[in-house]
Amino acid sequence: MLTFKKAAVTFVALGSLVAGAGSAAADGGTPSPDAARTGDGAQALCKRVPKIEKRIEKALDRMNGEAGKRGSLAGMEKRVAAAKTAGHTEIHTFLNNRLTARKTLKTTLEQRQKDVATVKTWCEANDGGKS
């Protein structure tokens, strides 16, 4: 037998489901292709350049840090050497692959740093991308 309290809870739950479905249908769903963004986002990118520069610089500083610094290439190289010395072949292989990936990331970040510097110069010459 359904009590009044259970019936009220069920009614409220069903009402919220119906209201939610109605609002989802009313918002129009996905925008049409005609409503897609225009432009290249230069103004937004110019606004973010300082944050991007800081993030890249922080990551590169970490990678170039001393062996005791978390995330440094020197620390990873030390761990790779220790695994090899200990004869832990699987650990050595795993850490060596991570080291290779991290070195690749460093190269990528250095290239991005150069690209962001170029973008910063462009933004300064073009009123922060407004023109």
Side-chain angles (χ1 to χ4, degrees):
M1 183 166 187
L2 199 62
T3 65
F4 176 76
K5 192 174 190 179
K6 287 182 183 177
V9 169
T10 304
F11 181 76
V12 170
L14 287 173
S16 65
L17 286 174
V18 170
S23 64
D27 73 356
T30 59
S32 66
D34 297 332
R37 284 192 218 177
T38 58
D40 61 358
Q43 189 172 1
L45 180 59
C46 288
K47 186 177 178 181
R48 290 195 41 81
V49 163
K51 289 181 182 180
I52 295 169
E53 284 179 319
K54 283 181 186 176
R55 183 179 297 149
I56 291 171
E57 186 176 326
K58 186 178 178 182
L60 287 172
D61 285 347
R62 186 180 327 119
M63 287 182 172
N64 293 327
E66 295 177 5
K69 188 171 184 179
R70 183 177 178 200
S72 69
L73 290 174
M76 182 62 74
E77 289 169 346
K78 189 175 178 181
R79 290 178 66 195
V80 169
K84 186 174 184 176
T85 303
H88 301 151
T89 311
E90 292 81 6
I91 304 300
H92 173 263
T93 302
F94 176 77
L95 292 175
N96 198 37
N97 288 340
R98 283 184 59 193
L99 178 61
T100 303
R102 203 170 285 177
K103 286 180 179 178
T104 304
L105 177 60
K106 180 182 175 188
T107 305
T108 302
L109 288 173
E110 289 169 341
Q111 181 59 48
R112 285 186 184 168
Q113 193 174 37
K114 292 174 188 172
D115 293 344
V116 169
T118 305
V119 168
K120 183 178 181 178
T121 303
W122 183 90
C123 289
E124 291 169 351
N126 290 286
D127 193 27
K130 293 177 184 174
S131 52

